[in-house]
């Protein structure tokens, strides 16, 4: 291998490292969205039945015994968890939340998708298209 080829490999490596640094600077959300499938409103979800979930006041605590991780969610997350005991599409879930809470459609959609994406990433729900 010539010195010119070695220099090209080093330059290419430096560009890749810069790209990764840029992604890290932008936060891990972009990286996670590449690594984990994303949720759409037409998808169906359901809570996993093998998890330990408990209500504390109006909050929700879910323990994933395999990973040792837990999720703490407020009253809205608790309500969502109850609504996904059976399979439900995110469109139906979105509609239910709009009837329950005084929130605009877009805010509800964004926050619902973010919360459900977190549930998916933490392997707390069953997801189907």
């Amino acid at each position: 291998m010539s010195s010119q080829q070695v220099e090209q490999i080093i330059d290419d490596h430096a560009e890749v490292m810069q790209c990764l640094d840029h992604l890290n600077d932008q936060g891990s959300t972009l990286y996670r969205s590449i690594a984990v499938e994303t949720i759409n409103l037409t998808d169906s979800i359901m809570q996993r039945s093998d998890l330990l979930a408990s209500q504390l006041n109006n909050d929700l605590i879910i323990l994933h015994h395999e990973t040792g991780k837990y999720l703490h969610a407020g009253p809205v997350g608790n309500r969502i968890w109850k609504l996904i005991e059976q399979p439900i599409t995110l469109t139906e879930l979105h509609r239910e939340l709009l009837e329950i809470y005084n929130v605009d459609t877009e805010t509800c959609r964004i926050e619902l998708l973010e919360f459900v994406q977190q549930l998916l990433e933490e392997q707390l729900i069953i997801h189907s298209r």
Side-chain angles (χ1 to χ4, degrees), residues 56-89:
L56 179 64
N57 298 322
N58 286 327
D59 290 356
L60 172 71
I61 311 264
I62 305 170
L63 175 64
H64 191 302
H65 59 279
E66 292 173 4
T67 64
K69 292 182 178 181
Y70 74 93
L71 174 82
H72 174 250
V76 177
N78 190 13
R79 178 64 71 107
I80 291 170
W81 189 252
K82 289 177 184 175
L83 290 169
I84 65 172
E85 287 178 349
Q86 301 297 319
I88 186 171
T89 67

Short mmCIF file of all heavy atoms in Angstrom, two decimals, residues 56-89:
data_model
loop_
_atom_site.label_atom_id
_atom_site.label_comp_id
_atom_site.label_asym_id
_atom_site.label_seq_id
_atom_site.Cartn_x
_atom_site.Cartn_y
_atom_site.Cartn_z
N LEU A 56 -48.66 4.70 40.99
CA LEU A 56 -48.26 5.38 42.22
C LEU A 56 -48.91 6.75 42.16
O LEU A 56 -48.50 7.59 41.37
CB LEU A 56 -46.73 5.48 42.31
CG LEU A 56 -46.17 6.18 43.52
CD1 LEU A 56 -46.52 5.41 44.79
CD2 LEU A 56 -44.67 6.33 43.39
N ASN A 57 -49.93 6.96 42.99
CA ASN A 57 -50.80 8.12 42.87
C ASN A 57 -51.40 8.08 41.47
O ASN A 57 -52.03 7.11 41.12
CB ASN A 57 -50.08 9.42 43.17
CG ASN A 57 -49.56 9.46 44.60
OD1 ASN A 57 -50.23 8.98 45.51
ND2 ASN A 57 -48.38 10.01 44.79
N ASN A 58 -51.19 9.08 40.64
CA ASN A 58 -51.67 9.04 39.26
C ASN A 58 -50.55 8.71 38.27
O ASN A 58 -50.78 8.69 37.06
CB ASN A 58 -52.31 10.38 38.87
CG ASN A 58 -53.66 10.54 39.50
OD1 ASN A 58 -54.38 9.58 39.69
ND2 ASN A 58 -54.00 11.78 39.84
N ASP A 59 -49.35 8.49 38.76
CA ASP A 59 -48.20 8.19 37.91
C ASP A 59 -48.12 6.70 37.62
O ASP A 59 -48.79 5.88 38.26
CB ASP A 59 -46.91 8.66 38.57
CG ASP A 59 -46.79 10.17 38.62
OD1 ASP A 59 -47.67 10.86 38.08
OD2 ASP A 59 -45.81 10.65 39.21
N LEU A 60 -47.27 6.36 36.69
CA LEU A 60 -47.07 4.98 36.28
C LEU A 60 -45.59 4.63 36.38
O LEU A 60 -44.74 5.41 35.98
CB LEU A 60 -47.53 4.81 34.82
CG LEU A 60 -47.21 3.48 34.14
CD1 LEU A 60 -48.07 2.36 34.73
CD2 LEU A 60 -47.46 3.59 32.64
N ILE A 61 -45.31 3.46 36.92
CA ILE A 61 -43.95 2.93 36.96
C ILE A 61 -44.00 1.58 36.25
O ILE A 61 -44.79 0.71 36.61
CB ILE A 61 -43.45 2.71 38.40
CG1 ILE A 61 -43.70 3.92 39.26
CG2 ILE A 61 -42.03 2.20 38.40
CD1 ILE A 61 -42.59 4.87 39.43
N ILE A 62 -43.15 1.40 35.24
CA ILE A 62 -43.05 0.13 34.52
C ILE A 62 -41.63 -0.39 34.68
O ILE A 62 -40.67 0.32 34.42
CB ILE A 62 -43.35 0.30 33.01
CG1 ILE A 62 -44.69 0.97 32.78
CG2 ILE A 62 -43.29 -1.05 32.31
CD1 ILE A 62 -44.92 1.37 31.33
N LEU A 63 -41.51 -1.64 35.11
CA LEU A 63 -40.21 -2.27 35.28
C LEU A 63 -40.05 -3.35 34.22
O LEU A 63 -40.90 -4.22 34.08
CB LEU A 63 -40.07 -2.88 36.67
CG LEU A 63 -38.81 -3.68 36.93
CD1 LEU A 63 -37.58 -2.78 36.85
CD2 LEU A 63 -38.87 -4.37 38.28
N HIS A 64 -38.96 -3.25 33.47
CA HIS A 64 -38.62 -4.28 32.49
C HIS A 64 -37.62 -5.20 33.18
O HIS A 64 -36.45 -4.87 33.31
CB HIS A 64 -38.01 -3.63 31.24
CG HIS A 64 -37.87 -4.55 30.09
ND1 HIS A 64 -37.15 -5.72 30.14
CD2 HIS A 64 -38.37 -4.48 28.84
CE1 HIS A 64 -37.21 -6.33 28.98
NE2 HIS A 64 -37.95 -5.59 28.17
N HIS A 65 -38.10 -6.34 33.65
CA HIS A 65 -37.27 -7.21 34.49
C HIS A 65 -36.06 -7.78 33.74
O HIS A 65 -35.05 -8.08 34.36
CB HIS A 65 -38.12 -8.33 35.08
CG HIS A 65 -38.79 -9.19 34.07
ND1 HIS A 65 -39.96 -8.82 33.44
CD2 HIS A 65 -38.44 -10.39 33.55
CE1 HIS A 65 -40.31 -9.75 32.58
NE2 HIS A 65 -39.42 -10.70 32.62
N GLU A 66 -36.14 -7.93 32.43
CA GLU A 66 -35.02 -8.47 31.67
C GLU A 66 -33.86 -7.48 31.57
O GLU A 66 -32.70 -7.87 31.65
CB GLU A 66 -35.47 -8.89 30.27
CG GLU A 66 -36.41 -10.07 30.28
CD GLU A 66 -36.97 -10.38 28.90
OE1 GLU A 66 -36.57 -9.70 27.92
OE2 GLU A 66 -37.81 -11.27 28.81
N THR A 67 -34.18 -6.21 31.38
CA THR A 67 -33.12 -5.21 31.23
C THR A 67 -32.80 -4.50 32.54
O THR A 67 -31.77 -3.85 32.65
CB THR A 67 -33.53 -4.13 30.20
OG1 THR A 67 -34.67 -3.42 30.69
CG2 THR A 67 -33.82 -4.75 28.84
N GLY A 68 -33.71 -4.60 33.51
CA GLY A 68 -33.52 -3.90 34.78
C GLY A 68 -33.85 -2.42 34.70
O GLY A 68 -33.68 -1.69 35.66
N LYS A 69 -34.33 -1.97 33.54
CA LYS A 69 -34.69 -0.56 33.37
C LYS A 69 -36.12 -0.34 33.80
O LYS A 69 -36.94 -1.27 33.79
CB LYS A 69 -34.53 -0.14 31.91
CG LYS A 69 -33.11 -0.12 31.43
CD LYS A 69 -33.06 0.36 30.00
CE LYS A 69 -31.64 0.44 29.49
NZ LYS A 69 -31.60 0.93 28.11
N TYR A 70 -36.41 0.89 34.17
CA TYR A 70 -37.79 1.23 34.49
C TYR A 70 -38.14 2.55 33.84
O TYR A 70 -37.29 3.36 33.50
CB TYR A 70 -38.02 1.28 36.00
CG TYR A 70 -37.42 2.48 36.68
CD1 TYR A 70 -38.18 3.63 36.88
CD2 TYR A 70 -36.11 2.47 37.12
CE1 TYR A 70 -37.64 4.74 37.50
CE2 TYR A 70 -35.56 3.58 37.73
CZ TYR A 70 -36.33 4.70 37.92
OH TYR A 70 -35.79 5.80 38.52
N LEU A 71 -39.44 2.74 33.66
CA LEU A 71 -39.96 3.97 33.08
C LEU A 71 -40.93 4.58 34.07
O LEU A 71 -41.78 3.87 34.62
CB LEU A 71 -40.68 3.67 31.76
CG LEU A 71 -41.39 4.86 31.13
CD1 LEU A 71 -40.39 5.71 30.35
CD2 LEU A 71 -42.51 4.42 30.22
N HIS A 72 -40.78 5.86 34.29
CA HIS A 72 -41.71 6.60 35.14
C HIS A 72 -42.46 7.56 34.24
O HIS A 72 -41.86 8.32 33.49
CB HIS A 72 -40.97 7.36 36.24
CG HIS A 72 -41.87 8.24 37.04
ND1 HIS A 72 -41.82 9.61 36.95
CD2 HIS A 72 -42.85 7.96 37.93
CE1 HIS A 72 -42.73 10.13 37.76
NE2 HIS A 72 -43.37 9.14 38.35
N ALA A 73 -43.79 7.47 34.26
CA ALA A 73 -44.61 8.36 33.44
C ALA A 73 -45.66 9.02 34.32
O ALA A 73 -46.10 8.45 35.32
CB ALA A 73 -45.28 7.57 32.32
N GLY A 74 -46.07 10.20 33.94
CA GLY A 74 -47.08 10.94 34.66
C GLY A 74 -48.48 10.43 34.36
O GLY A 74 -48.67 9.37 33.77
N PRO A 75 -49.48 11.20 34.77
CA PRO A 75 -50.87 10.78 34.61
C PRO A 75 -51.28 10.48 33.17
O PRO A 75 -52.03 9.54 32.92
CB PRO A 75 -51.67 11.95 35.17
CG PRO A 75 -50.73 12.66 36.09
CD PRO A 75 -49.37 12.45 35.52
N VAL A 76 -50.78 11.25 32.21
CA VAL A 76 -51.14 10.99 30.81
C VAL A 76 -50.53 9.67 30.34
O VAL A 76 -51.19 8.86 29.69
CB VAL A 76 -50.72 12.16 29.89
CG1 VAL A 76 -51.04 11.85 28.44
CG2 VAL A 76 -51.41 13.46 30.32
N GLY A 77 -49.28 9.45 30.69
CA GLY A 77 -48.64 8.17 30.36
C GLY A 77 -49.37 7.00 31.01
O GLY A 77 -49.52 5.94 30.41
N ASN A 78 -49.83 7.21 32.23
CA ASN A 78 -50.60 6.19 32.93
C ASN A 78 -51.90 5.90 32.17
O ASN A 78 -52.29 4.75 31.99
CB ASN A 78 -50.90 6.66 34.36
CG ASN A 78 -51.48 5.57 35.23
OD1 ASN A 78 -51.48 4.40 34.88
ND2 ASN A 78 -51.98 5.98 36.38
N ARG A 79 -52.56 6.94 31.71
CA ARG A 79 -53.81 6.76 30.95
C ARG A 79 -53.55 6.01 29.64
O ARG A 79 -54.28 5.11 29.26
CB ARG A 79 -54.44 8.12 30.66
CG ARG A 79 -55.71 8.10 29.84
CD ARG A 79 -56.87 7.38 30.55
NE ARG A 79 -57.37 8.16 31.65
CZ ARG A 79 -58.52 8.81 31.65
NH1 ARG A 79 -59.31 8.73 30.61
NH2 ARG A 79 -58.89 9.51 32.70
N ILE A 80 -52.47 6.39 28.96
CA ILE A 80 -52.11 5.72 27.71
C ILE A 80 -51.86 4.23 27.98
O ILE A 80 -52.33 3.37 27.25
CB ILE A 80 -50.88 6.38 27.05
CG1 ILE A 80 -51.25 7.77 26.53
CG2 ILE A 80 -50.32 5.51 25.93
CD1 ILE A 80 -50.07 8.60 26.07
N TRP A 81 -51.14 3.94 29.07
CA TRP A 81 -50.82 2.55 29.40
C TRP A 81 -52.11 1.73 29.59
O TRP A 81 -52.21 0.60 29.12
CB TRP A 81 -49.94 2.49 30.64
CG TRP A 81 -49.41 1.12 30.92
CD1 TRP A 81 -49.79 0.28 31.92
CD2 TRP A 81 -48.39 0.43 30.19
NE1 TRP A 81 -49.08 -0.88 31.86
CE2 TRP A 81 -48.20 -0.82 30.81
CE3 TRP A 81 -47.62 0.76 29.07
CZ2 TRP A 81 -47.28 -1.75 30.34
CZ3 TRP A 81 -46.70 -0.18 28.62
CH2 TRP A 81 -46.54 -1.41 29.25
N LYS A 82 -53.08 2.33 30.24
CA LYS A 82 -54.36 1.63 30.43
C LYS A 82 -55.08 1.42 29.09
O LYS A 82 -55.70 0.38 28.88
CB LYS A 82 -55.25 2.41 31.39
CG LYS A 82 -54.77 2.36 32.82
CD LYS A 82 -55.63 3.21 33.72
CE LYS A 82 -55.06 3.22 35.14
NZ LYS A 82 -55.80 4.13 36.00
N LEU A 83 -54.98 2.42 28.20
CA LEU A 83 -55.66 2.32 26.91
C LEU A 83 -55.02 1.30 25.97
O LEU A 83 -55.66 0.85 25.02
CB LEU A 83 -55.70 3.69 26.23
CG LEU A 83 -56.62 4.74 26.88
CD1 LEU A 83 -56.35 6.12 26.29
CD2 LEU A 83 -58.08 4.35 26.73
N ILE A 84 -53.77 0.93 26.23
CA ILE A 84 -53.10 -0.03 25.36
C ILE A 84 -53.03 -1.43 25.97
O ILE A 84 -52.20 -2.25 25.58
CB ILE A 84 -51.71 0.47 24.89
CG1 ILE A 84 -50.74 0.59 26.06
CG2 ILE A 84 -51.83 1.77 24.12
CD1 ILE A 84 -49.30 0.90 25.64
N GLU A 85 -53.93 -1.72 26.90
CA GLU A 85 -54.00 -3.09 27.43
C GLU A 85 -54.37 -4.06 26.31
O GLU A 85 -53.94 -5.21 26.31
CB GLU A 85 -55.02 -3.17 28.56
CG GLU A 85 -54.54 -2.53 29.84
CD GLU A 85 -55.58 -2.59 30.96
OE1 GLU A 85 -56.75 -2.95 30.69
OE2 GLU A 85 -55.20 -2.27 32.09
N GLN A 86 -55.18 -3.61 25.38
CA GLN A 86 -55.56 -4.37 24.19
C GLN A 86 -54.98 -3.66 22.98
O GLN A 86 -54.73 -2.46 23.02
CB GLN A 86 -57.10 -4.44 24.07
CG GLN A 86 -57.78 -5.08 25.26
CD GLN A 86 -57.39 -6.53 25.44
OE1 GLN A 86 -57.28 -7.27 24.47
NE2 GLN A 86 -57.17 -6.94 26.68
N PRO A 87 -54.79 -4.37 21.87
CA PRO A 87 -54.26 -3.71 20.67
C PRO A 87 -55.14 -2.53 20.26
O PRO A 87 -56.36 -2.61 20.30
CB PRO A 87 -54.31 -4.81 19.60
CG PRO A 87 -54.33 -6.09 20.36
CD PRO A 87 -55.03 -5.80 21.65
N ILE A 88 -54.48 -1.44 19.90
CA ILE A 88 -55.17 -0.24 19.47
C ILE A 88 -54.28 0.49 18.45
O ILE A 88 -53.05 0.49 18.60
CB ILE A 88 -55.51 0.68 20.67
CG1 ILE A 88 -56.37 1.88 20.25
CG2 ILE A 88 -54.25 1.12 21.38
CD1 ILE A 88 -56.91 2.69 21.43
N THR A 89 -54.88 1.07 17.43
CA THR A 89 -54.07 1.85 16.50
C THR A 89 -53.75 3.19 17.15
O THR A 89 -54.48 3.67 18.03
CB THR A 89 -54.80 2.11 15.16
OG1 THR A 89 -55.91 2.97 15.39
CG2 THR A 89 -55.22 0.82 14.49
#
